[in-house]
Amino acid sequence: MAIAKLFVALVVLLPGSPGRAEAQETRVRWFGHAAFSVTTPGGKVLLIDPWLSNPSNPEARDGKDPLGSLARVDYILLTHGHRDHVGDAVAVARKTGAVLVCNPELAGNLVKLQDFPAKQAETDAIMGIGGEIQLADGEVTVAMTPAVHSSSVFNPKAGADEPERAYGGNPAGFVIRIRNGPTIYHSGDTAYFKDMETIGENYSIDVALLNIGGHFGMEPRMAAKAAQAVRTKLAVPQHFGTSPGIAQDAGGFAAELKRLRIDFYEMRPGETITYRGRQLIKAK
Ligand SMILES: [Zn+2]
């Protein structure tokens, strides 16, 4: 694969001193479905849509505790309230003390209905679409971007006559800018929309993590169109292969990206890719 050769070339070209190189590395790990962690050069850990117990996650198999490998999480980012995105957020928050980053309606209902730790959900990291916040003493800037989808939050306390889904605010995506690191776009579960071009105009996206499973979100052809709209340097598929409704593989997405001449990389669940500055240096 041409892109694999490119990575090898970059590793050879940019050896650096190990200590300094490590300090400038950003690691992006996929747990399957829409769940990713981002570890910054400063060592802060952001967890996005942490459904860690999803069936694709190798850390969740054979009776393993999917939270077992999480030594540290500083922030939990939720694109919307659906169960396959909120996932294990409450358990992670309790275990790690992580601060919640999402819209106020979702945050409020997670506290009230799912007992998310209130102190971690009532900070100035609660935000709305169009806003940008700084995290980790300014090392990370998070922008909340629009998404065309729905958002509700499961209410395990609902009585027999009450709806089991409460309001979850508007669904969103995130653009995550890392100082001395890449700019990452996570699409959430959005459909393709033409204004994705605005995201591409406003940010220089290094890697776009795009939902491609169809049925509830973008079909692969439109996900490739989204990659083009946000002008990403690299497109990585997510939100596929985890349930029968979104069973398709990434082949169609890859083929369409090839036609559009956009770089593609398919991560395996559990895999980490590493950036040094804004250069992808290691995949696998
Ligand atoms: Zn979803």
Side-chain angles (χ1 to χ4, degrees), residues 1-2 224 251-264:
M1 212 196 297
F253 180 57
E256 195 63 22
L257 286 169
K258 194 173 180 186
R259 199 179 66 76
L260 297 172
R261 300 181 182 196
I262 298 168
D263 282 345
F264 162 81

Side-chain angles (χ1 to χ4, degrees), residues 180-239:
N180 299 322
T183 294
I184 301 158
Y185 172 57
H186 189 299
S187 66
D189 270 2
T190 190
Y192 171 81
F193 56 101
K194 187 89 176 149
D195 280 351
M196 281 178 161
E197 289 172 7
T198 306
I199 297 171
E201 285 161 12
N202 283 331
Y203 304 102
S204 176
I205 310 286
D206 295 292
V207 54
L209 313 170
L210 297 166
N211 74 81
I212 68 152
H215 197 117
F216 301 102
M218 292 188 281
E219 298 294 337
R221 188 171 62 84
M222 297 312 279
K225 215 169 153 61
Q228 187 178 44
V230 302
R231 304 180 190 176
T232 189
K233 293 186 186 76
L234 180 69
V236 169
Q238 47 113 340
H239 208 274

Side-chain angles (χ1 to χ4, degrees), residues 6-281:
L6 176 69
F7 299 154
V8 172
L10 286 167
V11 170
V12 173
L13 284 170
L14 299 167
S17 68
R20 201 177 152 191
E22 214 170 275
Q24 293 177 349
E25 284 181 357
T26 301
R27 296 193 300 281
V28 180
R29 180 176 173 194
W30 189 38
F31 297 90
H33 205 64
F36 290 84
S37 68
V38 178
T39 304
T40 70
K44 295 287 196 298
V45 180
L46 288 72
L47 198 55
I48 310 162
D49 287 356
W51 183 30
L52 303 177
S53 47
N54 80 73
S56 298
N57 185 3
E59 297 284 326
R61 286 186 203 137
D62 307 322
K64 272 197 266 179
D65 173 9
L67 274 63
S69 67
L70 289 180
R72 165 181 194 153
V73 180
D74 297 281
Y75 302 98
I76 297 168
L77 284 67
L78 299 180
T79 60
H80 62 294
H82 293 161
R83 269 188 276 195
D84 59 317
H85 296 260
V86 170
D88 303 289
V90 176
V92 173
R94 287 201 187 124
K95 180 181 173 181
T96 63
V99 165
L100 184 62
V101 181
C102 70
N103 75 59
E105 295 87 355
L106 177 55
N109 276 335
L110 281 176
V111 171
K112 195 162 187 180
L113 308 175
Q114 296 191 22
D115 302 318
F116 192 100
K119 271 189 184 164
Q120 293 154 241
E122 293 167 356
T123 75
D124 55 8
I126 298 304
M127 66 187 301
I129 291 169
E132 287 190 2
I133 60 168
Q134 303 226 311
L135 303 175
D137 298 321
E139 189 189 20
V140 179
T141 303
V142 173
M144 188 180 267
T145 58
V148 178
H149 192 57
S150 66
S151 179
S152 57
V153 57
F154 177 60
N155 178 7
K157 298 175 181 173
D161 297 332
E162 292 174 295
E164 68 159 18
R165 289 162 183 253
Y167 186 48
N170 283 318
F174 290 110
V175 174
I176 302 164
R177 281 184 286 161
I178 314 284
R179 188 198 294 148
N180 299 322
T183 294
I184 301 158
Y185 172 57
H186 189 299
S187 66
D189 270 2
T190 190
Y192 171 81
F193 56 101
K194 187 89 176 149
D195 280 351
M196 281 178 161
E197 289 172 7
T198 306
I199 297 171
E201 285 161 12
N202 283 331
Y203 304 102
S204 176
I205 310 286
D206 295 292
V207 54
L209 313 170
L210 297 166
N211 74 81
I212 68 152
H215 197 117
F216 301 102
M218 292 188 281
E219 298 294 337
R221 188 171 62 84
M222 297 312 279
K225 215 169 153 61
Q228 187 178 44
V230 302
R231 304 180 190 176
T232 189
K233 293 186 186 76
L234 180 69
V236 169
Q238 47 113 340
H239 208 274
F240 68 101
T242 14
S243 66
I246 55 170
Q248 58 196 307
D249 65 24
F253 180 57
E256 195 63 22
L257 286 169
K258 194 173 180 186
R259 199 179 66 76
L260 297 172
R261 300 181 182 196
I262 298 168
D263 282 345
F264 162 81
Y265 185 72
E266 182 177 356
M267 295 176 77
R268 293 183 312 275
E271 184 178 342
T272 299
I273 58 174
T274 304
Y275 280 81
R276 188 175 301 154
R278 301 186 73 159
Q279 295 284 0
L280 181 58
I281 57 163

